[in-house]
Amino acid sequence: MSKLQELIKKLCPDGVEFRKLGEVCEIKRGVRVVKNDLINDGKYPVFQNSLIPLGYYEKNNYPANITFVISAGAAGEIGYTEEPIWAADDCLTIISPNNIINKFIYYCLIANKLFFVSKVRRASVPRLSRTVVDNFEIPIPPLEVQNEIVRILDTFTAHTAELQAELQARKEQYEYYRNKLLTFDENDERVKWIKLGEIGNTCMCKRIMKHQTSDIGEVPFFKIGTFGKEADAFISYELYDEYKNKYSFPRKGEILISASGTIGRTVIYDGQDAYFQDSNIIWIQNDESKVLNKYLYYYYQIIEWNVEGGTIKRLYNTNLSKTIIAYPPLSEQQRIISILDKFESLVNDLSEGLPAEIAAVQEQYEYYRNKLLTFKRKS
């Protein structure tokens, strides 16, 4: 029997009391701070409508070890601070009494984050009513039980943080070696320099109109916002076959580039049925006689693209085709690809390496968190 099980059996064998948060805790709205008074770096972070500090302030209005809920903007997000903060007016802070550990409240709330998000009113500014927080019920086991639960969950959190730090270090190491491997001496006779337009034509899919797409369908249609992610729009197979056979379409392995919005984001086309948004997603039609597609994929990551435009920047086809790249012999390209493939798998592959380990630990953490916070209700 675990220590926690022993404590529950000893201290609350018949269950625990559940109370509304607003009945047992003091829930206070923060105080607006003038943006001009904020500084970029300082002692006290200011939380307003996000878990990312709005800036820093010379004073704090809440001590360390406080749970807070964002009520507007990123409404429904739940935070916990181990340092004093300034909570602004879209931040609901929760001050707990002596018989409830504040970190325990945080874990109770974060375990129910989907509930809070479901209660957000979607408008121009998403908002979460304070009443939702006030009326949320939490279990109140004895302090010894709360302490043990917090200790266990803190251990999981610390382990995840260690893995995230290691992953960040690996990403920096990957970027260092990628840049080193793809930086060539202009006097190296083995290395050639070429404009991308000399490799092949710059291509794009023919435009698909919004009325030709649907929320559900047969063939995924990728826009700027979903490029490299999951499609939220679809087209029919009939339209897909018609456009694919009549107009430009990528071949398996060619590298698609975001030309607007997320400029420079790249995706290796896997050959699966899919369609891509006209001039916003472009590619070089490459036969790989000089440059391997996978080499282009990595080389694109170090290019500072020549973009144009005012409010909306764009990578135009002419600028893409004029971009000069270095390419060594095919055998050296393959060697570089092999090295970078291993690095990228380690830092980005969700099915293996550190990302997979982090996902597994997170899943385990959420399972045990929900299990640890499930109590029999005392009658």
Side-chain angles (χ1 to χ4, degrees):
M1 183 179 294
S2 70
K3 179 180 178 181
L4 180 61
Q5 289 173 320
E6 290 177 354
L7 287 171
I8 292 174
K9 183 177 181 180
K10 177 183 176 181
L11 300 173
C12 48
D14 300 323
V16 303
E17 184 182 19
F18 281 69
R19 297 284 300 277
K20 291 181 179 179
L21 202 58
E23 293 176 349
V24 294
C25 296
E26 185 181 5
I27 301 176
K28 301 178 69 175
R29 184 173 295 280
V31 178
R32 180 176 292 276
V33 61
V34 180
K35 197 167 184 179
N36 288 341
D37 290 339
L38 299 179
I39 54 179
N40 293 328
D41 190 21
K43 190 173 182 180
Y44 303 113
V46 175
F47 291 97
Q48 166 71 359
N49 50 17
S50 169
L51 294 182
I52 300 172
L54 184 65
Y56 293 84
Y57 197 44
E58 61 182 12
K59 297 183 291 185
N60 71 288
N61 58 356
Y62 288 96
N65 304 315
I66 287 289
T67 298
F68 59 93
V69 180
I70 302 298
S71 63
E77 291 290 342
I78 299 154
Y80 181 82
T81 176
E82 295 181 344
E83 59 182 345
I85 65 168
W86 184 278
D89 56 332
D90 288 331
C91 195
L92 300 175
T93 56
I94 301 169
I95 303 170
S96 56
N98 292 333
N99 68 322
I100 306 178
I101 300 170
N102 208 283
K103 191 69 170 288
F104 177 79
I105 294 174
Y106 166 74
Y107 282 125
C108 287
L109 298 189
I110 201 71
N112 291 276
K113 180 181 173 182
L114 291 179
F115 166 78
F116 290 103
V117 171
S118 73
K119 297 299 181 181
V120 172
R121 298 194 306 272
R122 302 296 171 184
S124 57
V125 179
R127 293 192 177 277
L128 176 69
S129 170
R130 173 174 172 164
T131 304
V132 174
V133 182
D134 282 338
N135 291 334
F136 184 77
E137 286 191 336
I138 64 167
I140 308 178
L143 277 171
E144 295 92 331
V145 173
Q146 294 179 44
N147 265 316
E148 181 61 11
I149 290 173
V150 169
R151 184 193 68 79
I152 294 170
L153 295 179
D154 277 354
T155 301
F156 270 108
T157 303
H159 182 42
T160 303
E162 289 173 1
L163 290 174
Q164 292 283 9
E166 184 178 352
L167 178 60
Q168 182 59 35
R170 295 289 179 88
K171 285 183 176 180
E172 291 173 0
Q173 186 182 35
Y174 161 72
E175 291 174 2
Y176 169 80
Y177 280 108
R178 179 199 64 200
N179 295 349
K180 188 176 179 66
L181 285 167
L182 295 174
T183 300
F184 301 97
D185 186 341
E186 293 185 4
N187 296 319
D188 189 339
E189 295 181 354
R190 299 176 306 153
V191 179
K192 307 297 182 184
W193 299 81
I194 192 171
K195 293 179 180 178
L196 287 173
E198 296 175 49
I199 295 174
N201 295 326
T202 302
C203 300
M204 67 186 75
C205 291
K206 181 175 174 59
R207 187 175 189 185
I208 293 285
M209 306 302 290
K210 186 174 182 179
H211 72 269
Q212 295 174 289
T213 70
S214 61
D215 294 337
I216 57 174
E218 300 166 313
V219 180
F221 174 63
F222 291 94
K223 301 168 286 186
I224 294 175
T226 56
F227 181 60
K229 300 179 182 178
E230 186 174 349
D232 62 3
F234 299 84
I235 62 173
S236 68
Y237 264 115
E238 182 181 4
L239 183 63
Y240 171 69
D241 288 335
E242 177 189 347
Y243 276 39
K244 181 180 178 182
N245 293 328
K246 288 173 62 176
Y247 306 109
S248 297
F249 197 80
R251 295 173 293 195
K252 183 177 181 180
E254 289 184 330
I255 314 303
L256 307 176
I257 309 169
S258 175
S260 181
T262 54
I263 295 176
R265 178 184 289 172
T266 53
V267 168
I268 302 172
Y269 177 54
D270 60 8
Q272 299 296 312
D273 293 342
Y275 205 81
F276 304 91
Q277 188 181 28
D278 54 73
S279 62
N280 290 318
I281 300 170
I282 58 182
W283 70 93
I284 294 292
Q285 198 170 52
N286 179 29
D287 62 10
E288 297 194 287
S289 60
K290 296 178 181 177
V291 184
L292 299 175
N293 281 323
K294 196 62 179 292
Y295 177 83
L296 281 179
Y297 169 74
Y298 287 121
Y299 202 95
Y300 286 165
Q301 294 175 14
I302 69 168
I303 291 177
E304 292 187 12
W305 298 104
N306 181 16
V307 298
E308 296 181 33
T311 304
I312 300 177
K313 302 293 184 182
R314 175 174 291 280
L315 172 61
Y316 287 100
N317 292 13
T318 52
N319 290 336
L320 175 67
S321 61
K322 291 178 182 177
T323 300
I324 298 175
I325 68 163
Y327 71 100
L330 292 174
S331 59
E332 177 62 11
Q333 291 180 43
Q334 190 57 63
R335 186 185 76 85
I336 292 171
I337 291 168
S338 297
I339 295 171
L340 294 180
D341 275 352
K342 292 175 183 176
F343 266 110
E344 186 170 68
S345 177
L346 182 63
V347 300
N348 290 323
D349 195 333
L350 295 178
S351 63
E352 58 181 83
L354 281 172
E357 186 176 354
I358 290 171
V361 170
Q362 183 66 23
E363 184 177 353
Q364 188 182 36
Y365 156 73
E366 291 176 3
Y367 170 79
Y368 281 109
R369 180 192 65 198
N370 296 342
K371 192 174 180 66
L372 292 171
L373 295 171
T374 300
F375 291 92
K376 181 170 68 173
R377 187 183 290 264
K378 191 174 184 178
S379 57

